[in-house]
Amino acid sequence: AQSVTQPDIHITVSEGASLELRCNYSYGATPYLFWYVQSPGQGLQLLLKYFSGDTLVQGIKGFEAEFKRSQSSFNLRKPSVHWSDAAEYFCAVAFSGGYQKVTFGTGTKLQVIP
Amino acid sequence: KAGVTQTPRYLIKTRGQQVTLSCSPISGHRSVSWYQQTPGQGLQFLFEYFSETQRNKGNFPGRFSGRQFSNSRSEMNVSTLELGDSALYLCASSSGQGESYGYTFGSGTRLTVV
């Protein structure tokens, strides 16, 4: 069965610092990979997605993620964090091909300090 | 275009009652998925409907059910509510051509069971 691991439950960074959120997946083939962000009391917003091709994916709000097949990882990065980036971030995976449900990681809460 | 609309935003119900939640997907989207989000369990997949047919189902008891109408609007029903059903229920809309294309989430319905 597919699974997603986000090893960091909570991360604190200073405003202006760089950010990397980790995500590892377990699946036998190349999955479809996603990052979502959730602000308190809100639904989830898609930041970026990877299906195939270029392993470095650009998303909204200045985020990017890199797919590394050898490490089964899809880490999210941002070069300079803004206070408005404070939220919870979810990595997700789906089977490639056909219709399928999306499995979410447990999330990483990002705190940004001035 | 209009986003995913979930109604109501908040609900308070008594244990043993039943509840119906509604979701209107993005125009043209034929797939609607439902997730339960709790602090302890994270995001858990309930079920997915495509063209009025349940296409995928998660591991929830039969008290949780859903349906989809010809206009793609979906409802989920929870009967005989338990305290543990208190959660944020999220609806996600997609084109239906594989969730790989990415969900668009609604803002959710916050259900509190007392």
Coordinates of all heavy atoms in Angstrom, one line a residue, chain A residues 2-96:
Chain A
Q2 N 0.4 2.3 -0.6 CA 1.1 3.5 -0.7 C 1.1 4.2 0.7 O 0.1 4.1 1.4 CB 0.6 4.4 -1.7 CG -0.9 4.9 -1.5 CD -1.5 5.5 -2.7 OE1 -1.2 5.2 -3.8 NE2 -2.4 6.5 -2.4
S3 N 2.2 4.9 1.0 CA 2.2 5.6 2.3 C 3.1 6.8 2.1 O 4.0 6.9 1.2 CB 2.7 4.7 3.4 OG 4.1 4.4 3.2
V4 N 2.9 7.8 3.0 CA 3.7 9.0 2.9 C 4.2 9.3 4.4 O 3.4 9.2 5.3 CB 2.9 10.2 2.4 CG1 3.7 11.5 2.4 CG2 2.3 9.9 1.1
T5 N 5.4 9.7 4.5 CA 6.0 10.0 5.8 C 6.5 11.4 5.8 O 7.3 11.8 4.9 CB 7.1 9.1 6.2 OG1 6.7 7.7 6.2 CG2 7.7 9.4 7.5
Q6 N 6.1 12.2 6.7 CA 6.6 13.5 7.0 C 7.3 13.5 8.3 O 6.6 13.5 9.3 CB 5.5 14.6 6.9 CG 5.0 14.8 5.5 CD 3.9 15.9 5.4 OE1 2.7 15.6 5.3 NE2 4.3 17.1 5.6
P7 N 8.6 13.4 8.4 CA 9.2 13.1 9.7 C 9.2 14.3 10.7 O 9.3 14.0 11.9 CB 10.7 12.8 9.3 CG 10.8 13.4 7.9 CD 9.5 13.4 7.3
D8 N 9.0 15.5 10.2 CA 9.0 16.6 11.1 C 7.6 17.1 11.4 O 6.8 17.5 10.5 CB 9.7 17.8 10.4 CG 11.2 17.4 10.1 OD1 11.9 16.9 11.0 OD2 11.6 17.6 8.9
I9 N 7.2 17.0 12.6 CA 5.8 17.4 13.0 C 5.7 18.9 13.1 O 4.7 19.5 12.7 CB 5.4 16.8 14.4 CG1 5.4 15.2 14.3 CG2 4.1 17.3 14.9 CD1 5.3 14.5 15.6
H10 N 6.8 19.5 13.6 CA 6.8 21.0 13.8 C 8.1 21.5 13.4 O 9.2 20.9 13.8 CB 6.4 21.2 15.2 CG 6.1 22.7 15.5 ND1 7.1 23.6 15.8 CD2 4.9 23.4 15.5 CE1 6.5 24.8 16.0 NE2 5.2 24.7 15.8
I11 N 8.1 22.6 12.7 CA 9.4 23.3 12.3 C 9.2 24.8 12.6 O 8.2 25.4 12.3 CB 9.8 23.0 10.8 CG1 10.4 21.6 10.7 CG2 10.7 24.1 10.3 CD1 10.8 21.3 9.3
T12 N 10.3 25.4 13.1 CA 10.3 26.8 13.4 C 11.5 27.4 12.6 O 12.6 26.9 12.7 CB 10.5 27.2 14.9 OG1 9.4 26.6 15.6 CG2 10.5 28.7 15.1
V13 N 11.2 28.4 11.8 CA 12.2 29.1 11.1 C 12.1 30.6 11.3 O 11.0 31.1 11.5 CB 12.2 28.8 9.6 CG1 12.5 27.3 9.4 CG2 10.9 29.3 8.9
S14 N 13.1 31.4 11.1 CA 13.1 32.8 11.1 C 12.6 33.4 9.8 O 13.0 32.8 8.7 CB 14.5 33.4 11.5 OG 14.9 32.9 12.8
E15 N 11.9 34.5 9.8 CA 11.5 35.1 8.6 C 12.7 35.5 7.8 O 13.7 36.0 8.3 CB 10.7 36.4 8.9 CG 10.0 36.9 7.7 CD 9.0 38.0 8.0 OE1 9.0 38.5 9.2 OE2 8.1 38.3 7.1
G16 N 12.7 35.2 6.5 CA 13.8 35.4 5.6 C 14.8 34.2 5.5 O 15.6 34.2 4.5
A17 N 14.7 33.3 6.4 CA 15.5 32.1 6.3 C 15.0 31.1 5.2 O 13.8 31.2 4.8 CB 15.6 31.4 7.6
S18 N 15.8 30.2 4.8 CA 15.4 29.2 3.9 C 14.6 28.1 4.6 O 14.7 27.9 5.8 CB 16.6 28.6 3.1 OG 17.4 27.9 4.0
L19 N 13.8 27.3 3.8 CA 13.0 26.3 4.4 C 13.1 25.0 3.6 O 13.1 25.1 2.3 CB 11.5 26.8 4.4 CG 10.5 25.7 4.7 CD1 10.5 25.4 6.2 CD2 9.1 26.2 4.4
E20 N 13.1 23.9 4.2 CA 13.0 22.6 3.6 C 12.1 21.7 4.4 O 12.4 21.4 5.6 CB 14.3 21.9 3.3 CG 14.2 20.6 2.5 CD 15.5 20.1 2.0 OE1 16.6 20.4 2.6 OE2 15.5 19.4 1.0
L21 N 11.0 21.2 3.9 CA 10.2 20.3 4.5 C 10.3 18.9 3.9 O 10.3 18.8 2.6 CB 8.7 20.7 4.4 CG 8.4 22.1 5.0 CD1 6.9 22.4 4.9 CD2 8.8 22.2 6.5
R22 N 10.5 17.9 4.7 CA 10.8 16.6 4.2 C 9.6 15.7 3.9 O 8.6 15.8 4.7 CB 11.8 15.9 5.1 CG 13.1 16.6 5.2 CD 14.0 15.8 6.1 NE 13.6 15.8 7.5 CZ 14.0 14.9 8.4 NH1 14.9 14.0 8.1 NH2 13.6 15.0 9.7
C23 N 9.7 14.9 2.9 CA 8.6 14.0 2.6 C 9.2 12.7 1.9 O 10.0 12.8 1.0 CB 7.6 14.6 1.6 SG 6.4 13.5 1.0
N24 N 8.9 11.6 2.5 CA 9.3 10.3 1.9 C 8.0 9.5 1.6 O 7.1 9.5 2.4 CB 10.2 9.6 2.8 CG 11.5 10.3 3.0 OD1 11.7 11.0 3.9 ND2 12.4 10.0 2.1
Y25 N 8.1 8.8 0.5 CA 6.9 8.0 0.1 C 7.3 6.5 0.0 O 8.5 6.2 -0.2 CB 6.3 8.5 -1.2 CG 7.2 8.3 -2.4 CD1 7.2 7.2 -3.1 CD2 8.1 9.3 -2.7 CE1 8.0 7.0 -4.2 CE2 8.9 9.2 -3.8 CZ 8.9 8.0 -4.5 OH 9.7 7.9 -5.6
S26 N 6.3 5.7 0.0 CA 6.5 4.3 -0.2 C 5.6 3.8 -1.2 O 4.4 3.9 -1.1 CB 6.3 3.5 1.1 OG 6.4 2.1 0.9
Y27 N 6.1 3.4 -2.4 CA 5.3 2.9 -3.5 C 6.2 2.2 -4.5 O 7.3 2.6 -4.7 CB 4.5 4.1 -4.1 CG 3.7 3.7 -5.3 CD1 2.7 2.7 -5.1 CD2 3.8 4.3 -6.5 CE1 1.9 2.4 -6.2 CE2 3.0 3.9 -7.6 CZ 2.1 3.0 -7.4 OH 1.3 2.6 -8.5
G28 N 5.7 1.2 -5.1 CA 6.5 0.4 -6.0 C 6.9 1.0 -7.3 O 7.9 0.7 -7.9
A29 N 6.1 2.0 -7.8 CA 6.4 2.6 -9.1 C 6.5 4.1 -8.8 O 6.4 4.6 -7.7 CB 5.3 2.3 -10.1
T30 N 6.7 4.8 -9.9 CA 6.7 6.3 -9.8 C 5.3 6.8 -9.4 O 4.4 6.6 -10.2 CB 7.2 6.9 -11.1 OG1 8.5 6.4 -11.4 CG2 7.2 8.4 -10.9
P31 N 5.2 7.5 -8.3 CA 3.9 8.0 -7.9 C 3.6 9.4 -8.5 O 4.5 10.0 -9.0 CB 4.0 8.0 -6.4 CG 5.5 8.4 -6.2 CD 6.2 7.7 -7.3
Y32 N 2.4 9.8 -8.3 CA 2.1 11.2 -8.5 C 2.3 11.8 -7.1 O 1.8 11.3 -6.1 CB 0.7 11.4 -9.0 CG 0.5 10.9 -10.4 CD1 -0.8 10.7 -10.9 CD2 1.5 10.6 -11.2 CE1 -1.0 10.2 -12.1 CE2 1.3 10.2 -12.5 CZ 0.1 10.0 -13.0 OH -0.2 9.5 -14.3
L33 N 2.9 13.0 -7.0 CA 3.3 13.6 -5.7 C 2.8 15.0 -5.6 O 2.8 15.7 -6.7 CB 4.8 13.5 -5.5 CG 5.4 12.2 -5.4 CD1 6.9 12.2 -5.7 CD2 5.1 11.6 -4.0
F34 N 2.3 15.4 -4.5 CA 1.7 16.7 -4.3 C 2.2 17.3 -3.0 O 2.5 16.6 -2.0 CB 0.2 16.6 -4.2 CG -0.4 15.8 -5.3 CD1 -0.6 14.4 -5.2 CD2 -0.9 16.4 -6.4 CE1 -1.2 13.7 -6.2 CE2 -1.6 15.7 -7.4 CZ -1.7 14.3 -7.3
W35 N 2.2 18.6 -2.9 CA 2.3 19.3 -1.6 C 1.1 20.3 -1.5 O 0.7 21.0 -2.5 CB 3.5 20.2 -1.6 CG 4.7 19.4 -1.1 CD1 5.7 18.9 -1.8 CD2 5.1 19.1 0.3 NE1 6.7 18.3 -1.0 CE2 6.3 18.4 0.3 CE3 4.5 19.4 1.5 CZ2 6.9 18.0 1.5 CZ3 5.1 19.0 2.7 CH2 6.3 18.3 2.6
Y36 N 0.4 20.2 -0.4 CA -0.7 21.1 -0.1 C -0.3 21.9 1.2 O 0.4 21.5 2.0 CB -1.9 20.3 0.2 CG -2.6 19.6 -1.0 CD1 -2.1 18.4 -1.4 CD2 -3.6 20.2 -1.7 CE1 -2.7 17.8 -2.5 CE2 -4.2 19.6 -2.8 CZ -3.7 18.4 -3.1 OH -4.3 17.8 -4.2
V37 N -1.0 23.1 1.3 CA -0.8 23.9 2.5 C -2.2 24.2 3.1 O -3.2 24.3 2.3 CB -0.1 25.2 2.1 CG1 -0.9 26.1 1.1 CG2 0.1 26.1 3.4
Q38 N -2.3 24.2 4.4 CA -3.6 24.5 5.1 C -3.4 25.5 6.1 O -2.6 25.4 7.0 CB -4.1 23.2 5.7 CG -5.5 23.3 6.4 CD -6.0 22.0 7.0 OE1 -5.2 21.2 7.5 NE2 -7.3 21.8 6.9
S39 N -4.2 26.6 6.0 CA -4.2 27.6 7.0 C -5.2 27.2 8.1 O -6.2 26.5 7.7 CB -4.5 29.0 6.4 OG -3.5 29.4 5.5
P40 N -5.1 27.7 9.3 CA -6.0 27.3 10.4 C -7.5 27.4 10.0 O -7.9 28.5 9.5 CB -5.7 28.2 11.5 CG -4.2 28.5 11.3 CD -4.1 28.6 9.8
G41 N -8.3 26.4 10.2 CA -9.7 26.4 9.9 C -10.1 26.4 8.5 O -11.3 26.6 8.1
Q42 N -9.1 26.2 7.6 CA -9.4 26.2 6.2 C -9.2 24.9 5.5 O -8.6 24.0 6.1 CB -8.5 27.3 5.5 CG -8.7 28.7 6.0 CD -10.2 29.2 5.7 OE1 -10.7 29.0 4.6 NE2 -10.8 29.8 6.7
G43 N -9.6 24.8 4.2 CA -9.3 23.6 3.5 C -7.8 23.6 3.0 O -7.0 24.5 3.4
L44 N -7.5 22.7 2.2 CA -6.1 22.6 1.7 C -6.0 23.2 0.3 O -6.9 23.1 -0.5 CB -5.7 21.1 1.6 CG -5.3 20.4 2.9 CD1 -6.5 20.1 3.8 CD2 -4.6 19.1 2.6
Q45 N -4.8 23.8 0.1 CA -4.6 24.5 -1.2 C -3.4 23.8 -1.8 O -2.3 23.6 -1.2 CB -4.3 26.0 -1.0 CG -4.0 26.7 -2.3 CD -3.6 28.1 -2.1 OE1 -3.2 28.5 -1.0 NE2 -3.8 28.9 -3.1
L46 N -3.5 23.4 -3.1 CA -2.4 22.8 -3.8 C -1.3 23.7 -4.1 O -1.5 24.8 -4.7 CB -3.0 22.2 -5.1 CG -2.0 21.5 -6.0 CD1 -1.5 20.2 -5.3 CD2 -2.6 21.1 -7.4
L47 N -0.1 23.4 -3.6 CA 1.1 24.2 -3.9 C 1.8 23.8 -5.2 O 2.2 24.7 -6.0 CB 2.1 24.1 -2.8 CG 1.8 24.8 -1.4 CD1 2.9 24.4 -0.4 CD2 1.8 26.3 -1.6
L48 N 1.9 22.5 -5.4 CA 2.6 22.0 -6.6 C 2.4 20.5 -6.7 O 1.9 19.9 -5.8 CB 4.1 22.3 -6.6 CG 4.9 22.0 -5.3 CD1 5.2 20.6 -5.1 CD2 6.2 22.9 -5.3
K49 N 2.7 20.0 -7.9 CA 2.5 18.6 -8.1 C 3.6 18.0 -9.1 O 4.1 18.8 -9.9 CB 1.1 18.3 -8.7 CG 0.8 19.0 -9.9 CD -0.7 18.9 -10.3 CE -1.1 19.8 -11.5 NZ -2.5 19.8 -11.7
Y50 N 3.9 16.8 -9.0 CA 4.8 16.1 -9.8 C 4.2 14.9 -10.4 O 3.7 14.0 -9.7 CB 6.1 15.7 -9.1 CG 7.0 14.8 -9.9 CD1 7.8 15.4 -10.9 CD2 7.0 13.5 -9.8 CE1 8.7 14.6 -11.7 CE2 7.8 12.7 -10.6 CZ 8.6 13.3 -11.5 OH 9.4 12.5 -12.3
F51 N 4.2 14.8 -11.8 CA 3.7 13.6 -12.4 C 4.9 12.9 -13.1 O 5.0 11.7 -13.0 CB 2.7 14.0 -13.5 CG 1.4 14.6 -12.9 CD1 0.6 15.4 -13.7 CD2 1.1 14.4 -11.6 CE1 -0.5 16.0 -13.1 CE2 -0.1 15.0 -11.0 CZ -0.9 15.8 -11.8
S52 N 5.7 13.6 -13.9 CA 6.8 13.0 -14.6 C 7.6 14.2 -15.2 O 7.3 15.3 -15.0 CB 6.3 12.1 -15.8 OG 5.6 12.9 -16.7
G53 N 8.7 13.8 -15.8 CA 9.5 14.8 -16.4 C 10.5 15.5 -15.5 O 11.1 14.8 -14.6
D54 N 10.7 16.8 -15.6 CA 11.7 17.5 -14.8 C 11.4 17.2 -13.3 O 10.3 17.4 -12.8 CB 11.6 19.0 -15.1 CG 12.7 19.8 -14.5 OD1 13.5 19.2 -13.7 OD2 12.9 20.9 -14.9
T55 N 12.5 16.8 -12.6 CA 12.3 16.5 -11.2 C 12.2 17.6 -10.3 O 11.9 17.5 -9.1 CB 13.5 15.5 -10.8 OG1 14.7 16.2 -11.0 CG2 13.4 14.2 -11.6
L56 N 12.5 18.8 -10.8 CA 12.4 20.0 -10.0 C 11.1 20.7 -10.4 O 11.0 21.2 -11.6 CB 13.6 20.9 -10.1 CG 13.6 22.2 -9.3 CD1 13.7 21.8 -7.8 CD2 14.8 23.1 -9.6
V57 N 10.2 20.9 -9.5 CA 8.9 21.4 -9.8 C 8.7 22.7 -9.1 O 9.0 22.9 -7.9 CB 7.8 20.4 -9.3 CG1 6.4 20.9 -9.7 CG2 8.0 19.0 -9.9
Q58 N 8.2 23.7 -9.9 CA 7.9 25.0 -9.3 C 6.4 25.1 -9.0 O 5.6 24.6 -9.7 CB 8.3 26.1 -10.3 CG 9.7 26.1 -10.8 CD 10.7 26.4 -9.6 OE1 10.4 27.2 -8.7 NE2 11.8 25.6 -9.6
G59 N 6.1 25.7 -7.9 CA 4.8 25.9 -7.5 C 4.4 27.3 -7.2 O 5.1 28.2 -7.6
I60 N 3.3 27.5 -6.5 CA 2.8 28.8 -6.2 C 3.5 29.3 -5.0 O 4.1 28.6 -4.2 CB 1.3 28.9 -6.0 CG1 0.9 28.0 -4.9 CG2 0.6 28.5 -7.3 CD1 -0.6 28.1 -4.5
K61 N 3.4 30.6 -4.7 CA 4.0 31.3 -3.5 C 5.5 31.1 -3.4 O 6.0 31.2 -2.3 CB 3.2 30.8 -2.3 CG 1.7 30.9 -2.3 CD 1.1 30.5 -1.0 CE -0.4 30.7 -1.0 NZ -1.0 30.5 0.3
G62 N 6.2 30.9 -4.5 CA 7.6 30.8 -4.4 C 8.2 29.4 -3.9 O 9.4 29.3 -3.7
F63 N 7.3 28.4 -3.8 CA 7.8 27.1 -3.4 C 8.2 26.3 -4.6 O 7.8 26.4 -5.7 CB 6.6 26.4 -2.7 CG 6.3 26.9 -1.3 CD1 5.4 27.9 -1.1 CD2 7.0 26.4 -0.2 CE1 5.1 28.3 0.2 CE2 6.8 26.8 1.1 CZ 5.8 27.8 1.3
E64 N 9.1 25.3 -4.3 CA 9.5 24.4 -5.3 C 9.8 23.0 -4.5 O 9.9 23.0 -3.3 CB 10.8 24.8 -6.0 CG 12.1 24.8 -5.1 CD 13.3 25.2 -5.8 OE1 13.3 25.9 -6.9 OE2 14.4 24.8 -5.3
A65 N 9.8 22.0 -5.3 CA 10.0 20.6 -4.7 C 10.8 19.8 -5.7 O 10.7 20.0 -6.9 CB 8.7 19.9 -4.4
E66 N 11.6 18.9 -5.2 CA 12.5 18.1 -6.0 C 12.2 16.6 -5.7 O 12.2 16.2 -4.6 CB 14.0 18.4 -5.7 CG 14.9 17.6 -6.7 CD 16.3 18.0 -6.5 OE1 16.7 18.7 -5.5 OE2 17.1 17.6 -7.4
F67 N 11.9 15.9 -6.8 CA 11.6 14.5 -6.7 C 13.0 13.8 -6.9 O 13.7 14.0 -7.8 CB 10.7 14.1 -7.9 CG 10.5 12.6 -8.1 CD1 10.1 11.8 -7.0 CD2 10.9 12.0 -9.3 CE1 9.9 10.4 -7.2 CE2 10.8 10.6 -9.4 CZ 10.3 9.8 -8.4
K68 N 13.3 12.9 -5.9 CA 14.5 12.1 -6.0 C 14.1 10.7 -5.8 O 13.8 10.1 -4.7 CB 15.4 12.5 -4.8 CG 16.0 13.9 -5.0 CD 17.1 14.2 -3.9 CE 17.7 15.5 -4.1 NZ 18.8 15.9 -3.1
R69 N 14.1 10.0 -7.0 CA 13.7 8.6 -7.0 C 14.5 7.7 -6.1 O 14.0 6.8 -5.4 CB 13.7 8.1 -8.5 CG 13.1 6.7 -8.6 CD 13.5 6.2 -10.0 NE 13.0 7.1 -11.1 CZ 11.8 7.1 -11.5 NH1 10.9 6.3 -11.1 NH2 11.5 8.0 -12.5
S70 N 15.8 7.9 -6.1 CA 16.7 7.1 -5.4 C 16.5 7.2 -3.9 O 16.8 6.2 -3.1 CB 18.2 7.4 -5.7 OG 18.4 8.8 -5.3
Q71 N 16.0 8.3 -3.4 CA 15.7 8.5 -2.0 C 14.2 8.4 -1.7 O 13.9 8.6 -0.5 CB 16.3 9.8 -1.6 CG 17.8 10.0 -1.8 CD 18.3 11.3 -1.4 OE1 17.6 12.1 -0.7 NE2 19.5 11.7 -1.9
S72 N 13.4 8.1 -2.7 CA 11.9 8.1 -2.5 C 11.5 9.4 -1.7 O 10.7 9.3 -0.7 CB 11.5 6.8 -1.7 OG 11.8 5.7 -2.4
S73 N 12.0 10.5 -2.2 CA 11.7 11.7 -1.5 C 11.1 12.8 -2.4 O 11.3 12.8 -3.6 CB 12.9 12.3 -0.8 OG 13.9 12.7 -1.7
F74 N 10.4 13.7 -1.8 CA 9.8 14.8 -2.5 C 9.8 16.0 -1.6 O 8.8 16.4 -1.0 CB 8.4 14.5 -3.0 CG 7.8 15.4 -4.0 CD1 8.4 15.8 -5.1 CD2 6.5 16.0 -3.7 CE1 7.8 16.7 -6.0 CE2 5.9 16.9 -4.5 CZ 6.6 17.3 -5.7
N75 N 10.9 16.6 -1.3 CA 11.1 17.7 -0.3 C 10.7 19.0 -0.9 O 11.0 19.4 -2.0 CB 12.5 17.7 0.2 CG 12.9 16.5 1.0 OD1 12.0 15.6 1.3 ND2 14.2 16.4 1.3
L76 N 10.0 19.8 0.0 CA 9.5 21.1 -0.4 C 10.5 22.1 0.1 O 11.0 22.1 1.2 CB 8.1 21.3 0.3 CG 7.4 22.7 0.0 CD1 7.0 22.7 -1.5 CD2 6.3 22.9 0.9
R77 N 10.8 23.1 -0.7 CA 11.7 24.2 -0.4 C 11.2 25.6 -0.7 O 10.4 25.7 -1.6 CB 13.1 23.9 -1.1 CG 13.7 22.6 -0.9 CD 15.1 22.6 -1.3 NE 15.2 22.7 -2.8 CZ 15.7 21.7 -3.6 NH1 16.0 20.6 -3.1 NH2 15.8 21.9 -4.9
K78 N 11.8 26.5 0.0 CA 11.5 27.9 -0.3 C 12.8 28.7 0.2 O 13.2 28.5 1.3 CB 10.3 28.4 0.4 CG 9.9 29.9 0.0 CD 8.5 30.3 0.5 CE 8.2 31.7 -0.1 NZ 6.8 32.1 0.4
P79 N 13.3 29.5 -0.7 CA 14.6 30.2 -0.3 C 14.5 31.2 0.8 O 15.4 31.4 1.5 CB 15.0 30.8 -1.7 CG 13.8 30.8 -2.5 CD 12.9 29.8 -2.1
S80 N 13.3 31.9 0.9 CA 13.2 32.9 1.9 C 11.7 32.9 2.4 O 10.8 33.2 1.7 CB 13.5 34.3 1.3 OG 13.3 35.3 2.2
V81 N 11.6 32.6 3.6 CA 10.2 32.4 4.2 C 9.7 33.7 4.7 O 10.3 34.6 5.2 CB 10.3 31.4 5.4 CG1 9.0 31.4 6.2 CG2 10.6 30.0 4.9
H82 N 8.4 33.9 4.4 CA 7.6 35.1 4.9 C 6.7 34.7 6.0 O 6.3 33.5 6.1 CB 6.8 35.6 3.7 CG 6.2 36.9 3.9 ND1 4.8 37.0 4.3 CD2 6.6 38.2 3.8 CE1 4.5 38.3 4.4 NE2 5.6 39.0 4.2
W83 N 6.4 35.6 6.9 CA 5.5 35.3 8.0 C 4.2 34.7 7.6 O 3.6 33.9 8.3 CB 5.2 36.6 8.8 CG 4.5 37.6 8.1 CD1 4.9 38.7 7.4 CD2 3.0 37.7 8.0 NE1 3.9 39.4 6.9 CE2 2.7 38.9 7.2 CE3 2.0 36.9 8.5 CZ2 1.4 39.2 6.9 CZ3 0.7 37.3 8.2 CH2 0.4 38.5 7.4
S84 N 3.7 35.1 6.4 CA 2.4 34.5 5.9 C 2.5 33.0 5.5 O 1.5 32.4 5.2 CB 1.9 35.3 4.7 OG 2.9 35.3 3.7
D85 N 3.7 32.5 5.5 CA 3.9 31.1 5.2 C 3.6 30.2 6.3 O 3.5 28.9 6.2 CB 5.3 30.8 4.7 CG 5.6 31.5 3.3 OD1 4.7 31.6 2.5 OD2 6.8 31.9 3.1
A86 N 3.4 30.7 7.5 CA 3.1 29.9 8.7 C 1.8 29.2 8.5 O 0.7 29.8 8.2 CB 3.0 30.8 9.9
A87 N 1.8 27.9 8.5 CA 0.6 27.1 8.2 C 1.0 25.6 8.4 O 2.1 25.3 8.8 CB 0.2 27.3 6.7
E88 N 0.2 24.7 8.0 CA 0.5 23.3 8.0 C 0.6 22.8 6.6 O -0.2 23.1 5.7 CB -0.6 22.5 8.8 CG -0.1 21.0 9.0 CD -0.9 20.4 10.2 OE1 -2.0 20.9 10.5 OE2 -0.4 19.4 10.7
Y89 N 1.7 22.0 6.4 CA 2.0 21.5 5.0 C 1.8 20.0 4.9 O 2.3 19.3 5.8 CB 3.4 22.0 4.6 CG 3.5 23.5 4.5 CD1 3.6 24.3 5.6 CD2 3.5 24.1 3.2 CE1 3.7 25.7 5.5 CE2 3.6 25.4 3.1 CZ 3.7 26.2 4.2 OH 3.7 27.6 4.1
F90 N 1.2 19.6 3.9 CA 0.9 18.2 3.7 C 1.5 17.7 2.4 O 1.3 18.3 1.3 CB -0.6 17.9 3.7 CG -1.3 18.1 5.0 CD1 -1.8 19.4 5.3 CD2 -1.4 17.1 6.0 CE1 -2.4 19.6 6.5 CE2 -2.0 17.3 7.2 CZ -2.5 18.6 7.5
C91 N 2.2 16.6 2.5 CA 2.7 15.9 1.3 C 1.7 14.8 1.0 O 1.1 14.2 1.9 CB 4.1 15.3 1.6 SG 4.8 14.4 0.2
A92 N 1.5 14.5 -0.3 CA 0.5 13.5 -0.6 C 1.0 12.7 -1.8 O 1.8 13.2 -2.7 CB -0.8 14.1 -0.9
V93 N 0.5 11.5 -1.9 CA 0.9 10.6 -3.0 C -0.3 9.9 -3.6 O -1.3 9.6 -2.9 CB 1.9 9.5 -2.5 CG1 1.3 8.6 -1.5 CG2 2.5 8.7 -3.7
A94 N -0.3 9.6 -4.9 CA -1.3 8.8 -5.5 C -0.7 7.9 -6.5 O 0.4 8.1 -7.0 CB -2.3 9.7 -6.3
F95 N -1.3 6.8 -6.8 CA -0.8 5.8 -7.7 C -0.8 6.5 -9.1 O -1.7 7.3 -9.4 CB -1.7 4.6 -7.8 CG -1.6 3.7 -6.7 CD1 -2.7 3.6 -5.8 CD2 -0.5 2.9 -6.4 CE1 -2.6 2.7 -4.7 CE2 -0.4 2.0 -5.4 CZ -1.5 2.0 -4.5
S96 N 0.2 6.1 -9.9 CA 0.2 6.7 -11.3 C -0.6 5.7 -12.2 O -0.3 4.6 -12.2 CB 1.7 6.8 -11.7 OG 2.3 5.5 -11.6

